[in-house]
Amino acid sequence: MATWANLGLQDSSSPLMEQLNFFHDHTLLILTMITILVGYIMGMLMFNKFTNRYLLHGQTIEIIWTVLPAIILMFIAFPSLRLLYLMDEINTPSITLKSIGHQWYWSYEYSDFLNLEFDSYMIPTNELEMNGFRLLDVDNRIVLPMNNQIRILVTATDVLHSWTVPSLGVKVDATPGRLNQINFLINRPGLFFGQCSEICGANHSFMPIVIESIPMNYFIKW
C-alpha cells in the first residue's frame, strides 16, 4: 500500500506489476537523457559567443535529428506494446471472481463455488480498530490464493466505477451492462489495498478494495 512521502510506485506483488515497474524506469531513463542533452544544447546556445556566417543549412545534422528521435520512440514503443498485449492475455485461470460495483460498495461472487457471495463495505472511522487503516479497511475482504492465475470479471449496477489495486497492476472499468475481465497472479502473501478510481458520486472516496492473499491449502480450508 502507499505510505507517507512515497513518491514512486508501490512495491509490486505480481509479475505484471514488476514488468510495469521496469518499463517505467526504462522510459524515465530515456526521458532523463533527452532532458540533459536538450538542456546542455540550450545552455550552450545561450552562453557561447560563436557565430558562423556561412552556415545556411546542414543536411547531415538534419538527418540525424530526424532519425534519432524516431529510433528513441521505437525503444519506448516496442516494450510498451509488449506489455499492452501481456495485460490483455487471459491464461487458464484457477479461480474466477466476479466484482460488482454499487453506489458505494462492492459485491463479490466466487463463480467456482456455490452460494459464496458477499458485500464489502468500508469500515467507518468510529468503528475502526487501532491497527486498522482509515478509509482503506473493509468488513469483508476478498480472499485469494497466491501463485495461481486469477480472473476477475468486473461490472456495475448503477454508474461507472473502476476496480483498481495498484500493487497488482490492475485497473478495470466497471460499466453497467458490460462485463470486463482481467487476469493476474499474486506472487506473495499479504494484504493489498485499492480504491474505486472512477468518479462515481458523493461517496466515491469511500468504497475501498482489500485483497488478502494466502497459500492455496489455507484458501481451500477457508
Side-chain angles (χ1 to χ4, degrees), residues 66-79:
T66 303
V67 172
L68 196 61
I71 295 170
I72 292 170
L73 284 174
M74 286 168 63
F75 273 98
I76 296 174
F78 287 137

Side-chain angles (χ1 to χ4, degrees), residues 54-197:
Y54 298 111
L55 188 62
L56 298 176
H57 64 87
Q59 200 75 36
T60 309
I61 192 68
E62 285 179 6
I63 291 170
I64 290 170
W65 71 39
T66 303
V67 172
L68 196 61
I71 295 170
I72 292 170
L73 284 174
M74 286 168 63
F75 273 98
I76 296 174
F78 287 137
S80 174
L81 286 169
R82 172 180 163 270
L83 264 177
L84 204 60
Y85 281 101
L86 273 176
M87 289 171 73
D88 279 342
E89 189 70 33
I90 299 295
N91 300 310
T92 309
S94 305
I95 285 181
T96 299
L97 175 71
K98 187 177 181 183
S99 172
I100 306 163
H102 307 267
Q103 285 183 310
W104 288 273
Y105 64 96
W106 295 99
S107 295
Y108 298 103
E109 299 174 7
Y110 286 80
S111 309
D112 305 296
F113 305 95
L114 293 174
N115 301 322
L116 185 48
E117 54 187 67
F118 53 85
D119 296 334
S120 181
Y121 288 86
M122 185 194 78
I123 300 175
T125 306
N126 58 346
E127 297 176 15
L128 202 60
E129 296 179 6
M130 286 296 290
N131 61 350
F133 295 103
R134 192 177 75 89
L135 304 183
L136 283 177
D137 255 326
V138 295
D139 54 358
N140 292 311
R141 294 169 174 168
I142 309 164
V143 179
L144 292 173
M146 58 183 279
N147 294 326
N148 282 274
Q149 291 290 342
I150 296 156
R151 177 174 58 182
I152 304 283
L153 303 175
V154 184
T155 187
T157 56
D158 35 45
V159 297
L160 290 175
H161 300 278
S162 185
W163 198 86
T164 307
V165 183
S167 60
L168 298 177
V170 174
K171 187 175 190 293
V172 197
D173 283 344
T175 311
R178 183 185 175 91
L179 205 60
N180 292 326
Q181 71 172 351
I182 198 163
N183 196 74
F184 63 86
L185 180 144
I186 308 172
N187 57 15
R188 61 189 173 95
L191 290 177
F192 308 110
F193 296 88
Q195 289 176 298
C196 176
S197 297

